[in-house]
Amino acid sequence: MVVSVMVRPLSRLPLVKLLTLVFASGLLPLSHAAAERLSVYSQSNLIVYNANVPESLELAKFYAAQRKIPESNLFALDCPNTEEITRTQFEESIAKPLRDAFTDNNWWKIYLDPEGARMQVVANRFHIMTLMYGMPVKVRDDVPRQTKPDPDSGEEIPVPKGPLETTGCSVDSELTTLGSFDPAKPGAINNPYFKKNVPFFQARLPNLILVGRIDGPTPEVAKRIITDAIHAEERGLWGIAYFDLSQKYPKGDEWILNSMNAYANEGIPVVLDPYVERFRLNFPMRDASVYFGWYTRNVDGPFLNPKFRFRPGAVASHLHSFSAARLRTADQDWVGPLLDKGAAAVLGNVYEPYLDLTHHYDIFNARLLQGYTFIESSYLSLPAISWMNIAVGDPLYRPFEALQEFNERNYSKDENTAFKAYRLAIKRWAKSDPQTLHERLSEAVEKLDSPLILEAMGLNAARSGDPDTAIQLFQLAGTHYPDAEDKVRVGLHQVQTYRESGNLDSATATLSQLAQAHPSLPETESVRLLLTELKPPPPPMPPAPSP
């Protein structure tokens, strides 16, 4: 059939109609691609649970039902119910039973060279392996210490190990190499999927399995991860993205800054703390859908506020060597506490990974925003496997599928309307026509009665190098927000804008005003801490001399 249509200049169309035409024309066939990927991965996802933990089986069945994964894809292991295991326990209770199952059930096809010296997986039924709550998390280092004669005494003394000479690793990362058939060797292995830009099922890497886990401080948290991921896929992961620099290691800061810019370009409001200190205690972190920061051992800052909760489906990570050293905890390290506070997808490390061999946050977030699944984005951003890294969350989770497919059909008025309006305007006018962007957003503020859009506009102005406009917008947002926590947050944005302009007097004056206006508010603690840093109290007077 041939259909004749009248072509109109797209630039003159309202934005919503423009998006509708683009989707209707088939130029963005995201829904078909996403559906294909989900179907493939639902069938090729092996769910592994611990037979010694009743909740592990319950969660495995629940996850399979939610993601339409065949129950025949569930596999039980008789392994220890501890987070850390020895290399021997890993091989005997996890790796060997899995290899036997893959071979006995013809889940993979193996090529054996004519001399029988090397086996290689050439086809694999499973692309993904999901470890359920109750499975061990990390494998203890057991590399024997080499010795050498002491030049003075002649006695054998230990030789110091190099930084990569360890067999310590996460269970997850070690299982990615299940099809290598090589004996365990100290150190990391190059990840052949690193930095690629192709869905894993099309990458032709049959000897590699992407291994993630659904886990957390409690079975209830693990179950909530599953339901939140599906909820966010259906409704969209809308909210504010928060980023925190360390100012100690330029490479990691660069990853975080690149991530922030990627979200900002997608029309997601972003908040950056650019200073050495992290977001301070009880910082009013509203509507947090994304968090990436570093660098401290244990959870702190806004996440210690009992009222704080991430938005359902939130993606988060705090870069630290031992962020997942203890996973089933709500108050130690980082991964467990972030999950306990409502995050649904969290990256971490079980031992010391060294910066270069951690998740490269900018690659991870770029792929996630493109529509890749959580587990694909994780391994696309990892240089090494058989190492320390883990990804806790539903491996099939695609937090930004709804965002990428957002158009007139789902532009309904709900609790996310302000975020939707802001994104539509940023995507349409941010680069081509800033003046129209400001006008359209101002209209949206009036129509929706939304101080949140004013706050987002101020953040965008500050990031664009227009501090005067940013301060005006923050002040206006502060007068329109009804809740004190929101007034404190936009006041802190205003303080940061003053600081970056070199106006410390106005910064400290604003902090003093906030502290006086909200003296009993828990979130004001972040104001007092910052005020003490910028304007330290005078030293105590020395004692008077004795007569």
Side-chain angles (χ1 to χ4, degrees), residues 186-490:
I189 298 172
N190 287 334
N191 174 13
Y193 194 46
F194 179 49
K195 285 188 175 180
K196 293 192 181 299
N197 197 356
V198 60
F200 185 68
F201 72 92
Q202 297 174 350
R204 299 183 180 180
L205 296 170
N207 63 332
L208 180 67
I209 302 173
L210 304 187
V211 184
R213 68 172 54 232
I214 296 174
D215 212 320
T218 65
E220 291 74 23
V221 169
K223 185 175 183 179
R224 192 263 308 153
I225 286 172
I226 300 168
T227 56
D228 278 3
I230 294 173
H231 172 86
E233 284 181 351
E234 293 172 349
R235 298 179 60 85
L237 180 57
W238 301 98
I240 300 174
Y242 292 85
F243 301 91
D244 200 342
L245 304 183
S246 78
Q247 297 294 353
K248 294 181 180 179
Y249 305 96
K251 182 175 294 185
D253 281 350
E254 181 183 357
W255 296 345
I256 290 177
L257 285 171
N258 289 342
S259 298
M260 180 196 73
N261 289 329
Y263 282 96
N265 291 337
E266 282 295 326
I268 297 170
V270 297
V271 175
L272 174 69
D273 186 333
Y275 303 105
V276 173
E277 298 80 13
R278 291 161 301 286
F279 283 111
R280 286 155 188 82
L281 180 64
N282 288 354
F283 177 89
M285 191 177 276
R286 168 190 170 133
D287 287 325
S289 60
V290 173
Y291 165 77
F292 285 85
W294 64 331
Y295 183 81
T296 185
R297 174 63 192 258
N298 287 307
V299 62
D300 68 358
F303 312 106
L304 296 180
N305 188 336
K307 295 189 297 184
F308 173 80
R309 292 294 294 178
F310 281 105
R311 282 204 149 203
V315 180
S317 184
H318 186 89
L319 186 55
H320 188 276
S321 300
F322 301 95
S323 58
R326 293 158 291 191
L327 183 57
R328 293 174 193 133
T329 172
D331 57 7
Q332 298 180 78
D333 303 318
W334 276 92
V335 173
L338 290 175
L339 292 166
D340 186 68
K341 286 294 186 177
V346 181
L347 306 174
N349 310 293
V350 298
Y351 301 120
E352 170 61 76
Y354 302 98
L355 180 59
D356 285 338
L357 299 184
T358 61
H359 292 91
H360 292 204
Y361 282 168
D362 52 353
I363 300 173
F364 170 80
N365 284 301
R367 295 294 185 266
L368 209 61
L369 285 165
Q370 285 178 253
Y372 282 88
T373 62
F374 174 54
I375 198 64
E376 287 173 313
S377 301
S378 171
Y379 282 94
L380 284 164
S381 63
L382 273 175
I385 51 179
S386 184
W387 199 232
M388 314 302 182
N389 326 95
I390 63 170
V392 187
D394 178 359
L396 305 188
Y397 180 33
R398 296 150 296 149
F400 299 112
E401 178 194 8
L403 181 145
Q404 294 292 350
E405 298 184 3
F406 172 53
N407 58 62
E408 187 179 29
R409 288 173 301 158
N410 47 32
Y411 191 80
S412 56
K413 191 170 183 179
D414 56 21
E415 70 276 13
N416 297 314
T417 299
F419 290 111
K420 295 176 181 179
Y422 179 76
R423 181 174 188 269
L424 286 172
I426 288 291
K427 294 292 285 183
R428 178 65 177 89
W429 293 294
K431 293 182 179 179
S432 62
D433 194 345
Q435 180 61 35
T436 300
L437 171 67
H438 185 84
E439 293 172 358
R440 294 292 183 269
L441 284 175
S442 298
E443 292 172 3
V445 169
E446 184 175 351
K447 181 178 179 181
L448 300 174
D449 190 22
S450 174
L452 189 146
I453 294 180
L454 285 170
E455 180 181 357
M457 291 170 66
L459 292 166
N460 187 54
R463 194 175 57 257
S464 302
D466 188 355
D468 293 338
T469 299
I471 289 169
Q472 292 174 10
L473 288 164
F474 293 143
Q475 291 173 336
L476 191 58
T479 63
H480 282 75
Y481 269 124
D483 295 335
E485 295 90 341
D486 296 321
K487 294 178 184 294
V488 169
R489 186 183 58 262
V490 293

Side-chain angles (χ1 to χ4, degrees), residues 166-186:
T166 175
T167 57
C169 59
S170 73
V171 168
D172 314 37
S173 189
E174 192 71 350
L175 283 176
T176 63
T177 67
L178 190 70
S180 67
F181 298 99
D182 292 329
K185 296 178 181 178

